[in-house]
């Protein structure tokens, strides 16, 4: 049996990366929680997504997840969010396919500890890239500077 790579892009296998956090182990850092939430979106795991929202947001959360194919997560930077911190931010870019187009969700997310566990509070979302189909040799619409075939289409 082959090990499954973690969807979060860490390079680790799922069982050693986001798997334990999704199964209920506390995330050691805000970034680890962000990665597990991305993996939960890939897996359509609404239970983990809801459980890792700040308490004041859980009741308002819909059970509907966007009908997209998550392609790649890139952590652009972090501030705070270390094992000894109580708050932190994670700046990330998540690429996804929807209706034949690759799109980018760019967000600076805020995290805090609740009862000793990291939770997602809210975030500032950057404007969406225009939707459109990309040819294999076109520049990738995610803004990486690579050709589409070597980036989000891979």
């Amino acid at each position: 049996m082959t090990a499954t790579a973690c969807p979060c892009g860490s390079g680790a296998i799922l069982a050693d990366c986001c798997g334990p956090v999704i199964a209920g182990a506390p995330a050691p850092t805000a970034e680890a929680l962000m990665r597990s939430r991305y993996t939960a979106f890939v897996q359509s795991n609404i239970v983990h997504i809801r459980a890792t929202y700040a308490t004041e947001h859980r009741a308002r959360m819909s059970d509907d997840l966007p009908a997209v194919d998550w392609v790649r997560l890139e952590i652009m930077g972090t501030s705070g969010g270390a094992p000894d911190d109580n708050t932190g931010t994670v700046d990330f870019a998540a690429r996804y396919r929807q209706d034949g187009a690759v799109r980018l969700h760019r967000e600076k997310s805020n995290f805090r500890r609740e009862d000793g566990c990291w939770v997602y509070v809210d975030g500032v979302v950057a404007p969406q890239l225009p939707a459109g189909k990309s040819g294999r040799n076109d520049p990738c619409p995610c803004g990486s500077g690579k050709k589409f075939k070597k980036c989000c289409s891979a």
Side-chain angles (χ1 to χ4, degrees), residues 127-144:
Q128 291 282 335
L129 290 174
K133 296 190 187 275
S134 295
R136 290 179 37 78
N137 289 315
D138 291 338
C140 192
C142 77
S144 69

Side-chain angles (χ1 to χ4, degrees), residues 58 83 88 103:
R58 286 182 198 150
R103 299 182 184 171

Side-chain angles (χ1 to χ4, degrees), residues 33 37 46-63 112-115 117-121:
L33 183 66
R37 286 175 55 81
I46 195 76
V47 172
H48 180 69
I49 296 165
R50 177 174 275 116
T52 56
Y53 261 107
T55 305
E56 66 270 18
H57 299 301
R58 286 182 198 150
R60 294 189 307 241
M61 189 189 148
S62 167
D63 284 341
R112 73 166 183 252
R113 287 193 185 272
E114 277 185 9
D115 300 323
C117 295
W118 286 107
V119 294
Y120 169 80
V121 179

Side-chain angles (χ1 to χ4, degrees), residues 62-75:
S62 167
D63 284 341
D64 297 326
L65 292 175
V68 300
D69 177 26
W70 294 99
V71 175
R72 180 178 306 149
L73 174 68
E74 183 178 358
I75 303 297

Side-chain angles (χ1 to χ4, degrees), residues 30-54:
E31 180 180 341
L33 183 66
M34 175 65 239
R35 289 181 177 280
S36 76
R37 286 175 55 81
Y38 173 84
T39 297
F41 274 97
V42 170
Q43 299 173 337
S44 299
N45 184 333
I46 195 76
V47 172
H48 180 69
I49 296 165
R50 177 174 275 116
T52 56
Y53 261 107

